[in-house]
Amino acid sequence: MLDDLFSYGSKSLDRLAYQTALDEIAADASVGTGFSLDVLKEHFDRGVALIADNLINPAFPEDAFKVVQKETASLLAGQEKSPNWLSGRKLSEALLPEKDPALRYARPETVSKLTLEDVKGYYTTVFRPDLTTIVIIGNIEPAKAKAVIEKYFGG
């Protein structure tokens, strides 16, 4: 659910303004527990600024939370009836020890009990500089890439 909420923008740019800003520089961005940015070199600074703002200052609007929660619960309910998912589940149960953490999965009733504060608490716990690795690939000078990353993500 957390990853889906990032698409609703940041505290400074709502969903539409954020997407418009990405479109203006022809950037393809993905923000969440894993994040990426594909952008031309001349727009690298602006692209990093946008995803950093979205990651560091997410909006997490209450109305969006309710939409994402309902969608996620419905998706999980359907998943639990999917033959492909059920066969994968049975295989995992046969191969893994009974209490193995890999056997845990999100359930519709559990997702329905979550609150926005639960999601914000998880965000605060998981999104930390000491748990983040940023890799830059492309036609950009390493010193420039480092300077831009430090500018928007901090040292």
mmCIF file of all heavy atoms in Angstrom, residues 1 61 72 94 99 106 127:
data_model
loop_
_atom_site.group_PDB
_atom_site.id
_atom_site.type_symbol
_atom_site.label_atom_id
_atom_site.label_comp_id
_atom_site.label_asym_id
_atom_site.label_seq_id
_atom_site.Cartn_x
_atom_site.Cartn_y
_atom_site.Cartn_z
ATOM 1 N N MET A 1 0.825 -1.191 0.000
ATOM 2 C CA MET A 1 0.000 0.000 0.000
ATOM 3 C C MET A 1 0.868 1.253 0.000
ATOM 4 O O MET A 1 0.525 2.225 -0.654
ATOM 5 C CB MET A 1 -0.928 0.008 1.211
ATOM 6 C CG MET A 1 -2.078 -0.960 1.091
ATOM 7 S SD MET A 1 -3.258 -0.831 2.436
ATOM 8 C CE MET A 1 -3.749 0.853 2.364
ATOM 9 N N PRO A 61 -2.265 11.477 1.319
ATOM 10 C CA PRO A 61 -3.585 12.022 1.641
ATOM 11 C C PRO A 61 -4.550 10.937 2.133
ATOM 12 O O PRO A 61 -4.530 9.810 1.643
ATOM 13 C CB PRO A 61 -4.057 12.624 0.320
ATOM 14 C CG PRO A 61 -3.200 12.025 -0.739
ATOM 15 C CD PRO A 61 -1.949 11.536 -0.091
ATOM 16 N N THR A 72 -6.438 -2.527 -2.733
ATOM 17 C CA THR A 72 -5.512 -3.572 -2.300
ATOM 18 C C THR A 72 -6.260 -4.757 -1.702
ATOM 19 O O THR A 72 -5.962 -5.915 -2.009
ATOM 20 C CB THR A 72 -4.486 -3.010 -1.293
ATOM 21 O OG1 THR A 72 -3.810 -1.908 -1.897
ATOM 22 C CG2 THR A 72 -3.485 -4.066 -0.877
ATOM 23 N N ALA A 94 4.682 -26.669 1.043
ATOM 24 C CA ALA A 94 5.304 -28.001 0.999
ATOM 25 C C ALA A 94 6.820 -27.921 1.158
ATOM 26 O O ALA A 94 7.435 -28.832 1.725
ATOM 27 C CB ALA A 94 4.951 -28.699 -0.315
ATOM 28 N N LYS A 99 6.690 -22.361 10.193
ATOM 29 C CA LYS A 99 6.690 -20.979 10.697
ATOM 30 C C LYS A 99 7.599 -20.057 9.883
ATOM 31 O O LYS A 99 7.942 -18.972 10.320
ATOM 32 C CB LYS A 99 7.142 -20.957 12.161
ATOM 33 C CG LYS A 99 6.283 -21.775 13.092
ATOM 34 C CD LYS A 99 5.074 -21.003 13.505
ATOM 35 C CE LYS A 99 4.343 -21.817 14.573
ATOM 36 N NZ LYS A 99 3.051 -21.296 14.864
ATOM 37 N N ALA A 106 -0.064 -10.832 2.812
ATOM 38 C CA ALA A 106 -1.108 -9.866 3.150
ATOM 39 C C ALA A 106 -2.472 -10.470 2.837
ATOM 40 O O ALA A 106 -2.663 -11.118 1.811
ATOM 41 C CB ALA A 106 -0.901 -8.589 2.352
ATOM 42 N N PHE A 127 12.060 4.005 5.588
ATOM 43 C CA PHE A 127 12.714 4.989 4.718
ATOM 44 C C PHE A 127 13.703 5.817 5.520
ATOM 45 O O PHE A 127 13.364 6.846 6.101
ATOM 46 C CB PHE A 127 11.659 5.873 4.033
ATOM 47 C CG PHE A 127 10.999 5.186 2.888
ATOM 48 C CD1 PHE A 127 10.034 4.217 3.110
ATOM 49 C CD2 PHE A 127 11.360 5.468 1.587
ATOM 50 C CE1 PHE A 127 9.430 3.551 2.063
ATOM 51 C CE2 PHE A 127 10.767 4.813 0.526
ATOM 52 C CZ PHE A 127 9.800 3.846 0.766
#
